[in-house]
Amino acid sequence: MASSETRSFGASVMSFFNKLSCAIFIWFLLGTSVSFAESIAFDKAQLATVKTQNMGKQWLMLLWSVDCPPCFKELAIIQKLQGQHDDLAVVIINTDASDEINAERKDIIEKFELNNFSNFHFVDGKGDQSRFFIDPNWYGELPRSYFVESNGKFHGKSGLVNQSILTQWLVN
Amino acid sequence: MSILTRIVCSTIVCALLIFVMNASEAAGHNHQATHQVMQSKKKPMPSCEGVKIICAKTVTSAFAPNGDLWRLWALDLSIYFQLSTDGGATFSAITRVAIDKEKVSARGENRPKIAFDKYQGVYLSWATPKEKKHTADIRFSYSSDYGKTFTKPVTVNDDNLLTGHSFNEMLVTADGEVSIVWLDSRLSHQLRLQGKKTNGSALFLGKANYRENETSFVNEQLANNTCVCCRIAMDYNDNGELAIFWRHIYGDNIREFALLTLAQGKSGQQEPYQISYDRWKINGCPHQGGAISINDKNRYHLVWFNQGEVGKGIFYAASNDQGKSLTKPVSVGMQSAQAAHPHLNTNGNNIDIVWTQFTGTEHELWHQRSTDNGKSFTQAVMLAKAFNGSDRPFIVKKGKVSYVSWHRPKQGHLVQAL
């Protein structure tokens, strides 16, 4: 049992170094002054980070799919608001959980000029897991908007949210 | 720091790290070998290679009249299939449907469809996405020689518009009469061009009979203002009439299920019956369609999913008058365990319902049966688990035996007698 734990610990250390070396490589390669934001694989740690980063302000977490026409309407509203107001606190998450749509997702983010926001995506095959740790009472219907209070309290709403409500929430 | 300097620095750092890691790996080699032996005792997970079925997100299954189980999936701009002569225990080699490559919608609620006639005819239908987002055409191909050759695919929707045509469902009679229904955006497309607001899609029907050389699918509109992203369900009733069950938009984005039986001739039902009254108001995509199966004496059995103010979860109900009146809907599965994606089928007086539940890490396939034509159901039992995501489960019939077909991406396609 002890040797199994040692092996497991060894594997964890190796895995950590693997990830660290890649992270260092990417950091050196890109530098810290990146001017574009690639979509980031979403996990529990990312959710925790996003929550921490936005603590103290009202923000919006918007979840969308390439297979959801009404989602595009909400993305278009965010695009419009971004043109009118600075520093909107919006986090955007794609829920397709399929590597097949990576290029499509990128195109849509660019089309709606959403690169300035934090963009995440559910990992291939882990769509429901990601959905569940965000909100076990959400069944995946889209678009899904979470209105997050400054104290970190989430309020989920399914379906397209109109522009006035989004403006009211995001523009103080 | 210039980009060149960064690349040089990063390469040096990586080389050093790789050297250190290799040294550690060499030191720990014996431990790793022991670990591999331990792992090999576990059943290995199948790997996704090439066009194997486990690489697919969705699978479609159906029994042919001769008892063969066909399963098909889409990958790499192609549709592939395999046959099983032993109820899904073993399958033939993978065969590619011999048509030109094109995109095939095969995610979530969308997937190719297959049906058979009694003369070795095999019928395929699918949606092919077009260059503009959320546009697609409904496609069809026919094999008169049990899958050896297929006709050049034709487009079923006859509007020649670059707009949405998707979520195709197909039934074929033993004599080869093909009925394909789909969600069609041609009306909303035209209204948008006129600067008018629209909501939802329309339900369209196309019919053909390739054996009778009736090969042009004349399109007929059956309903307007349907939900745009849920699968349709249909079955024949005792009179050979098509009964179609779909998610409709009522009032201000109340998404409820509707049912329409197409009477032979024009004297039948004109307006669809509203089936669910769960009051799910959502201007969005539930991505959850229903299922219908009609058994003896024209008893319609229905199952659906809603998250409304009044009704949340999976519901089952039956009707003896084509949906005009309904038994009291009963709840199926555990709403608190994310019960979703129900499917049902009938076999004599047996009503089988399958659905998925989710633990937060694993999907579970659940089943319950009624042996008294839907009056009561046995306790639900869990049949299987999925570890890398889950396709929708479906029930397919071979004579008096019903089977569940459940695809588990990167794990395998489960076929099990119920």
Side-chain angles (χ1 to χ4, degrees):
Chain A
M1 198 57 203
S3 80
S4 165
E5 279 170 10
T6 309
R7 279 195 300 277
S8 163
F9 176 71
S12 302
V13 170
M14 294 310 299
S15 166
F16 172 74
F17 271 110
N18 255 323
K19 285 175 186 164
L20 183 65
S21 64
C22 289
I24 291 171
F25 183 84
I26 291 163
W27 183 79
F28 269 91
L29 194 63
L30 298 177
T32 50
S33 57
V34 279
S35 59
F36 59 92
E38 289 287 331
S39 177
I40 299 164
F42 193 67
D43 58 21
K44 273 186 187 172
Q46 296 288 2
L47 179 60
T49 305
V50 166
K51 282 181 181 173
T52 307
Q53 282 171 348
N54 288 287
M55 196 58 81
K57 62 183 168 192
Q58 281 191 178
W59 57 289
L60 177 82
M61 192 164 90
L62 170 59
L63 296 109
W64 69 283
S65 154
V66 300
D67 291 330
C68 163
C71 296
F72 283 41
K73 292 183 182 170
E74 194 154 335
L75 293 178
I77 296 173
I78 297 297
Q79 179 188 22
K80 194 173 168 188
L81 291 181
Q82 183 187 219
Q84 297 166 349
H85 308 278
D86 293 330
D87 300 326
L88 293 180
V90 180
V91 171
I92 297 169
I93 305 174
N94 172 273
T95 64
D96 288 295
S98 169
D99 288 338
E100 288 168 13
I101 61 93
N102 286 351
E104 212 175 325
R105 181 184 68 229
K106 192 167 182 286
D107 286 350
I108 292 160
I109 289 169
E110 280 170 13
K111 184 188 166 198
F112 289 102
E113 301 171 315
L114 304 170
N115 269 318
N116 289 333
F117 297 111
S118 294
N119 278 279
F120 296 92
H121 59 270
F122 288 179
V123 175
D124 192 307
K126 299 290 177 192
D128 286 345
Q129 282 85 342
S130 307
R131 178 168 59 74
F132 196 87
F133 67 65
I134 290 173
D135 180 356
N137 295 313
W138 169 41
Y139 282 75
E141 66 278 4
L142 291 168
R144 179 79 169 168
S145 306
Y146 286 94
F147 296 84
V148 192
E149 291 182 38
S150 55
N151 62 6
K153 195 172 178 196
F154 276 54
H155 302 275
K157 182 180 185 324
S158 294
L160 178 64
V161 178
N162 68 39
Q163 187 175 328
S164 63
I165 291 173
L166 290 173
T167 308
Q168 202 177 347
W169 189 257
L170 292 169
V171 182
N172 301 309
Chain B
M1 195 185 287
S2 75
I3 192 76
L4 185 65
T5 318
R6 282 184 194 285
I7 291 169
V8 171
C9 288
S10 59
T11 308
I12 292 168
V13 170
C14 269
L16 280 169
L17 277 169
I18 288 164
F19 173 78
V20 171
M21 284 190 298
N22 280 347
S24 311
E25 273 175 24
H29 186 261
N30 286 340
H31 280 172
Q32 204 172 43
T34 317
H35 187 58
Q36 277 169 357
V37 169
M38 285 176 69
Q39 279 213 328
S40 69
K41 286 177 185 169
K42 291 181 189 170
K43 195 179 174 188
M45 289 291 275
S47 59
C48 166
E49 292 160 7
V51 297
K52 280 185 177 175
I53 194 167
I54 59 163
C55 308
K57 299 282 189 214
T58 66
V59 169
T60 308
S61 303
F63 282 99
N66 65 1
D68 289 351
L69 177 66
W70 283 61
R71 66 180 186 187
L72 62 151
W73 65 98
L75 280 172
D76 190 26
L77 306 175
S78 301
I79 298 171
Y80 295 92
F81 66 88
Q82 287 179 298
L83 273 68
S84 172
T85 55
D86 53 13
T90 59
F91 281 88
S92 64
I94 298 169
T95 306
R96 182 180 173 279
V97 174
I99 54 173
D100 288 347
K101 285 195 166 190
E102 64 178 60
K103 287 183 183 172
V104 178
S105 296
R107 276 202 300 270
E109 297 277 278
N110 245 322
R111 67 195 62 222
K113 300 292 156 19
I114 186 168
F116 310 91
D117 62 28
K118 64 181 178 186
Y119 307 103
Q120 301 276 298
V122 182
Y123 299 77
L124 297 179
S125 161
W126 64 95
T128 189
K130 306 298 282 183
E131 54 272 25
K132 199 176 155 200
K133 292 271 177 293
H134 304 139
T135 67
D137 279 335
I138 305 299
R139 304 281 279 164
F140 172 82
S141 178
Y142 162 64
S143 169
S144 59
D145 53 13
Y146 204 56
K148 289 188 188 71
T149 59
F150 280 88
T151 57
K152 189 170 189 274
V154 296
T155 294
V156 175
N157 45 287
D158 63 2
D159 53 348
N160 206 23
L161 289 175
L162 185 62
T163 189
H165 312 91
S166 209
F167 301 97
N168 54 297
E169 289 292 330
M170 176 172 65
L171 286 177
V172 176
T173 64
D175 288 327
E177 184 179 89
V178 187
S179 299
I180 299 178
V181 291
W182 66 94
L183 300 183
D184 194 305
S185 299
R186 72 183 71 176
L187 300 172
S188 51
H189 175 84
Q190 284 153 353
L191 285 170
R192 273 198 303 272
L193 289 179
Q194 296 165 21
K196 293 178 181 166
K197 279 197 166 185
T198 67
N199 200 9
S201 290
L203 180 69
F204 269 71
L205 167 72
K207 294 184 101 165
N209 191 326
Y210 270 54
R211 291 185 50 78
E212 304 287 332
N213 286 323
E214 295 163 8
T215 56
S216 60
F217 284 89
V218 177
N219 289 197
E220 183 186 351
Q221 184 191 328
L222 302 178
N224 197 5
N225 300 120
T226 69
C227 202
V228 300
C229 35
C230 292
R231 73 176 185 220
I232 308 166
M234 65 174 170
D235 198 5
Y236 291 113
N237 69 12
D238 268 3
N239 309 322
E241 300 163 328
L242 279 175
I244 306 163
F245 186 51
W246 73 94
R247 190 186 288 279
H248 200 72
I249 304 175
Y250 289 93
D252 182 13
N253 278 304
I254 308 291
R255 310 279 169 137
E256 302 284 12
F257 281 84
L259 176 62
L260 178 67
T261 301
L262 303 179
Q264 310 276 20
K266 293 286 174 192
S267 58
Q269 186 184 351
Q270 299 298 313
E271 290 293 321
Y273 295 124
Q274 182 174 342
I275 296 300
S276 65
Y277 290 85
D278 300 320
R279 290 198 65 80
W280 193 4
K281 183 173 179 175
I282 173 175
N283 183 3
C285 285
H287 287 138
Q288 299 232 20
I292 179 170
S293 184
I294 303 167
N295 64 356
D296 300 341
K297 296 176 189 162
N298 257 350
R299 186 165 166 89
Y300 287 38
H301 302 267
L302 304 155
V303 70
W304 68 87
F305 172 92
N306 266 336
Q307 286 294 300
E309 289 167 17
V310 176
K312 282 183 167 56
I314 298 171
F315 296 98
Y316 161 84
S319 173
N320 288 326
D321 52 11
Q322 303 188 160
K324 192 174 178 184
S325 66
L326 214 62
T327 59
K328 186 170 187 273
V330 293
S331 184
V332 175
M334 281 179 67
Q335 155 80 3
S336 60
Q338 295 251 324
H341 303 300
H343 193 253
L344 104 171
N345 214 331
T346 57
N347 210 328
N349 275 336
N350 284 353
I351 319 299
D352 290 299
I353 303 175
V354 291
W355 67 96
T356 58
Q357 293 187 176
F358 187 60
T359 64
T361 54
E362 295 165 347
H363 289 87
E364 299 170 341
L365 175 66
W366 285 79
H367 168 235
Q368 70 181 38
R369 170 172 282 177
S370 165
T371 55
D372 56 9
N373 215 2
K375 291 184 187 72
S376 64
F377 281 87
T378 57
Q379 200 172 354
V381 289
M382 187 178 66
L383 301 178
K385 288 186 174 188
F387 308 109
N388 304 302
S390 157
D391 188 13
R392 275 78 166 140
F394 295 91
I395 301 171
V396 289
K397 278 196 297 192
K398 179 186 175 187
K400 292 190 173 171
V401 184
S402 293
Y403 291 74
V404 63
S405 161
W406 189 38
H407 181 54
R408 296 168 292 178
K410 298 180 185 169
Q411 187 175 344
H413 175 223
L414 174 85
V415 179
Q416 186 177 317
L418 293 172

